[in-house]
Each structure stands twice: as C-alpha cells, then as structure tokens.
Amino acid sequence: MISFFRRKRALAALVGLAVAGATLTGCASGTSSAGGAAPKGTYTFWDPYPQFDASSAWTKLVEKCGTEAGVTVKRTGYDTSDLTSKALLAGQQNNSPDLLLVDNPVVSTLADAGILTDTSETKTSTASVEKNILAAGQIDGKTYGVPIGANTLALYYNKKVLDAAGVDPSTITSWDALTSALEKISATGNKGITFSGIGTEEGSFQFLPWFWGSGADLTKLDSSDGVSALSLLTDWVNKGYAPNSVINNTQTTSWQEFLTGKFGFSENGTWQLAGVKTSGLDYGIISIPSKSGGAAPAPTGGEFLTIPVQKDTARYQVSEKIQSCLTSTKNYVSTDTTLSYVAPTAAAQQQQLAAQSDLKPWVTAVGDAKGRTSDNLGTKYPKISEQMWKAEQNALSGSQTPAAALQQAQTAAAAAIK
C-alpha cells in the first residue's frame, strides 16, 4: 500500500496551477481513529449530477445507503470538469470526500495523483462486474472503484429512410456494406449518416469505434489501419454521405439532425433512447460495424464510484458499505434505468431487459465495448485523444490528408506522453 504521505507528495506535484483557483465545499473531516472502529457522523459524497436536487430519487438513494450504513451522507453534485479540479485540490489539501463518483477516464488521472484507494485496500468485491467495463478503472493491475453503470455508442437508423432506399439494416456488418447503404440513401435525396466530429473529447469518443474497428491501436495513430478509419469518415463527407456540419457537431447537435427525419443513420448513445421513443420516428438500432465484419468495439461511458484516500483509514469500512449498497443488483437496476445506463453486471442487465426489452441492442453494444483508458493507457489517453481529435478536424476540413493528419498527431502524442 502506498503511504498516505507519499500519495500527498505525488499529488502536489501533479495539481499545479490548473486547480489553483478552485473553491472547495462539503469536504470530509474528523480525527484519526488509527484504523480502529469506523467513525460515525457525516460522510461526504461528490458526484457529477448537479441536475439532481435533494428531492430526486438519486439523492434519496444515496442518503438511504448512508442510513443503512449507520451514518448521514451529505451529497454534492458538480459539473464533470469542475468535479475533477475540486477532487484534485481536495486531495492536495488532505480534504477529500469519503466517496467520489467520476467519469471513467478521470479515474486514471486521480489514481495517478494518489487520490484514490484501490479495491484491495477497501476490500471491495468486483467479481460480478463485466471485465470490459471494469477495465476502464484499472491501472497497473489495480482496480480503483466500481462502475455505477455504462453506456456506449451504436447506430440508430430511420426505418422509413432505409426502406425508401431498399436497405436492409441486418446486412450492414462491415464498412463496405455501410458505405453502400449510404450511397443508396443519398441517391433517394435523403442524407446518409450524421455523427459528432467536433474538436473535443466528444469527437474522439465518436471516432474510436471506427479507429478500433479498423484494428488500429491508440499507441500508433498513424498506422495504415488508423488511416483507413479516418479516410472512411472523410470520404463520407467528401461524397455528401455525411454533412459538412459533422466537423462542429456535438453528440446533441448531430442527434438533432437525425430527428429531422432526413438521415438514414446516426451514431449516438444509449442516452438518446428515451428521446427517440417519443420522437415519432420509426427507428431501429444496430452495432457499429468493424472494417472487415462484425461489431466494432465502441468506447464505454459512465462513472466509477471510488473511495478517496483518507488519513483516517477506518472510514473506509463505512464508505465501502455505502459503495456496496449503491452497486447492489437492485440499486443498479433502479439507478441505471434512471440514468439511461446499462448495468455493469449480468444479473442486473437481465433484470433491466425483463423490464425494458428494447435495451437488448445496447446490452450487446456494451458487451462489445472497451474503456478508453484500457490497455494500461491510464493518464496517457487524454494526451493521445487530443491529438486524435485534432487529426480528425484537419482531415474533415480538408486542410490535411488523413495520412498526414494522423502522422502529425502521432508525432505530437509521442512527445506528450514521454
């Protein structure tokens, strides 16, 4: 186990000026009980759900799990980016919350900073969690936290548009088949596909299924496989199969394009399912195809429930009870249905499917998905991702060829992760 003070020194070196101006509220406190009986009183919980107030089902569930553990839980919701800054600063100041729910790519950043305990320290069981989902929180053989749920990407399709073009969605199992379908759809006067290619993590998130589906690896962005993936999307734009707007599209704006009813396909996520049901569109969902056939691995989204390092390690006993409560099968089903997540355990997924059969393609997609920080990339991923979305921007805009854009991106990424 890394000592508390070694962790603190490592964190101080990492935080720097990026969080110097952040403010801090709702922090854990208490005197050390030197690993003895778990302290009672108030336990603090931070999450990225500021939309949920004190009357929400989520807040009530968090509080209920605290009550069952014999303590009071004080929950605070922050915007995702703000939460990361606050967590870094709190760790530097020895003032971390008892429980911290963060977007899964952030786990490696916080773990590298020495903020988080691993599951061996807290005696947290992760045996029932699907391995591909859990991998997003694993670094150097250690697991930091438990996933609260997962989402990912697939292709929504408009049945009316595909029928008009004579396209059978069940035949779309490769890039060639998809491109042929887009060509047929465009010939009818409709538009082929919309996606998010914006120059942010959203752009990388949506590019990854094509990148991984080509067989490419994030440690070599400019491989021939990687170039084929970027060439695929660039060709779609150049041929009019995808609109020029994709270069600035967020996942929300690309979804709004799909809801016009003029697009055959939309690359988007689990979180749009509720909206498409009320949209009036006759829709379907298929997995994103890989280059040569079969489903491509799409990136997993969703949060991990972690237990930050505390000077008083006896607090971990209660924190783990709260964590276990929130990640029980019953509460997975309740929480993940509310958040439009697929549960990370087979038992909870089966209960979700029994209540909501149209989740089936999403359970399949999550089963094929992959964590962005998997392959032990950890804190290297954000640096690689930044160069990847820049390359996509350069290629989609026509300022560079896909090969040149990715070669430049690989040089920059290699320098950044040294």
Side-chain angles (χ1 to χ4, degrees):
M1 182 189 302
I2 301 174
S3 75
F4 173 82
F5 293 103
R6 283 180 59 199
R7 280 185 165 120
K8 189 174 179 183
R9 285 197 297 270
L11 175 61
L14 179 77
V15 176
L17 295 177
V19 296
T23 58
L24 199 63
T25 60
C27 301
S29 61
T31 58
S32 173
S33 57
K40 300 298 183 179
T42 299
Y43 278 61
T44 49
F45 185 109
W46 293 358
D47 65 41
Y49 307 146
Q51 69 272 30
F52 296 137
D53 62 20
S55 66
S56 68
W58 169 247
T59 299
K60 291 184 182 302
L61 175 60
V62 171
E63 292 173 346
K64 179 175 179 289
C65 285
T67 300
E68 290 180 1
V71 298
T72 298
V73 175
K74 181 181 179 183
R75 176 196 160 258
T76 307
Y78 296 103
D79 290 331
T80 298
S81 58
D82 198 27
L83 179 60
T84 303
S85 297
K86 281 180 164 52
L88 286 167
L89 184 58
Q92 184 187 38
Q93 296 179 341
N94 182 19
N95 214 6
S96 292
D98 291 287
L99 293 113
L100 179 63
L101 188 64
V102 292
D103 194 19
N104 71 65
V106 177
V107 172
S108 60
T109 298
L110 301 182
D112 187 65
I115 287 176
L116 303 180
T117 63
D118 67 79
T119 53
S120 67
E121 295 177 82
T122 58
K123 298 180 174 57
T124 300
S125 174
T126 58
S128 63
V129 180
E130 298 294 314
K131 291 181 179 179
N132 66 317
I133 301 174
L134 190 63
Q138 295 177 321
I139 306 101
D140 295 329
K142 293 184 177 181
T143 303
Y144 297 89
V146 184
I148 199 79
N151 55 34
T152 193
L153 298 167
L155 292 180
Y156 288 86
Y157 62 86
N158 184 321
K159 292 181 181 179
K160 181 178 179 181
V161 172
L162 266 60
D163 286 347
V167 172
D168 179 355
S170 68
T171 65
I172 300 174
T173 57
S174 68
W175 288 3
D176 285 346
L178 178 56
T179 299
S180 176
L182 300 182
E183 182 180 10
K184 292 176 182 177
I185 291 168
S186 295
T188 67
N190 285 310
K191 299 180 184 296
I193 188 169
T194 180
F195 56 88
S196 171
I198 194 170
T200 68
E201 179 59 25
E202 282 190 81
S204 289
F205 188 76
Q206 290 229 328
F207 180 55
L208 277 172
W210 313 105
F211 185 82
W212 281 333
S214 75
D217 187 285
L218 284 170
T219 61
K220 190 166 177 57
L221 295 175
D222 59 347
S223 68
S224 58
D225 286 330
V227 171
S228 71
L230 188 52
S231 296
L232 177 73
L233 303 191
T234 303
D235 287 347
W236 287 349
V237 173
N238 290 340
K239 292 177 180 178
Y241 300 163
N244 290 325
S245 58
V246 296
I247 194 170
N248 294 316
N249 270 349
T250 64
Q251 293 179 108
T252 298
T253 55
S254 69
W255 183 249
Q256 290 168 347
E257 289 179 334
F258 181 66
L259 292 182
T260 64
K262 298 185 179 298
F263 284 83
F265 297 92
S266 171
E267 179 185 356
N268 227 294
T270 325
W271 53 91
Q272 306 291 10
L273 185 58
V276 77
K277 288 179 181 178
T278 60
S279 69
L281 291 182
D282 191 7
Y283 73 96
I285 301 167
I286 58 172
S287 294
I288 297 171
S290 64
K291 182 177 182 178
S292 56
T300 53
E303 288 84 40
F304 267 61
L305 183 53
T306 67
I307 297 177
V309 172
Q310 303 291 331
K311 189 172 183 179
D312 182 359
T313 59
R315 297 183 74 86
Y316 300 156
Q317 298 175 43
V318 171
S319 295
E320 194 280 329
K321 289 180 181 179
I322 298 169
Q323 183 185 57
S324 294
C325 173
L326 289 169
T327 56
S328 66
T329 296
K330 177 182 177 181
N331 289 331
Y332 266 145
V333 173
S334 173
T335 299
D336 291 342
T337 300
T338 299
L339 297 174
S340 297
Y341 283 161
V342 170
T345 67
Q349 288 174 6
Q350 290 306 308
Q351 289 192 23
Q352 284 185 297
L353 286 172
Q356 193 175 350
S357 61
D358 53 5
L359 275 178
K360 186 173 181 179
W362 289 111
V363 171
T364 299
V366 165
D368 292 325
K370 180 177 179 178
R372 284 166 278 177
T373 57
S374 296
D375 300 327
N376 214 36
L377 286 177
T379 56
K380 295 178 182 177
Y381 171 75
K383 299 172 184 177
I384 295 170
S385 174
E386 180 180 0
Q387 300 308 321
M388 185 164 59
W389 82 56
K390 288 180 178 178
E392 185 178 16
Q393 288 272 295
N394 290 337
L396 293 178
S397 68
S399 64
Q400 286 184 304
T401 65
L406 285 171
Q407 185 175 41
Q408 179 177 297
Q410 176 59 29
T411 300
I417 63 178
K418 278 185 178 179

